[in-house]
Amino acid sequence: VQLQASGGGLAQAGGSLRLSCAASGRTFSSYNMGWFRQALGKEREFVATINWTGRSTYYADSVKGRSTISRDNAKNTVYLEMNNLKPEDTAVYYCAAGVGGTYPRQYDYWGQGTQVTVSS
């Protein structure tokens, strides 16, 4: 499966962004999906994951309550809506497909990343 992330950009603190990740291939609905982020000079970190049905989600503490991961299997797309953005949310955001979980090694396919920059 090939993944294409989009929707990043510049936002002010307290604002919102909605990231999208479009997948190619007919097997999208069989994958659990995740969002990760990597700030400059830091390791890639888990943000959120959603199972293949969309009924189960899990979030990192840093975004819990401010973010919503969702998916539309008919559109082969997974979303990450982020609200009340903080400067520390600034990072490149990656979507990924795999067995799911909070570790990058649990995902086999990765998108190219979309930059999110939050100004204070």
Side-chain angles (χ1 to χ4, degrees), residues 33-105:
M33 300 296 295
W35 284 96
F36 288 77
R37 66 187 182 187
Q38 187 166 17
L40 194 63
K42 296 187 177 182
E43 293 186 353
R44 192 167 298 190
E45 66 172 4
F46 167 77
V47 176
T49 186
I50 187 167
N51 78 329
W52 67 277
T53 67
R55 296 183 185 135
S56 179
T57 60
Y58 184 77
Y59 300 89
D61 287 343
S62 58
V63 303
K64 192 179 298 181
R66 302 189 292 121
S67 298
T68 302
I69 187 171
S70 61
R71 67 190 295 163
D72 186 337
N73 286 341
K75 295 182 178 180
N76 280 8
T77 303
V78 62
Y79 306 96
L80 180 69
E81 183 170 349
M82 303 181 66
N83 301 306
N84 190 21
L85 286 164
K86 303 177 181 181
E88 50 264 42
D89 293 322
T90 295
V92 177
Y93 283 71
Y94 298 90
C95 58
V99 297
T102 62
Y103 297 97
R105 64 175 182 266

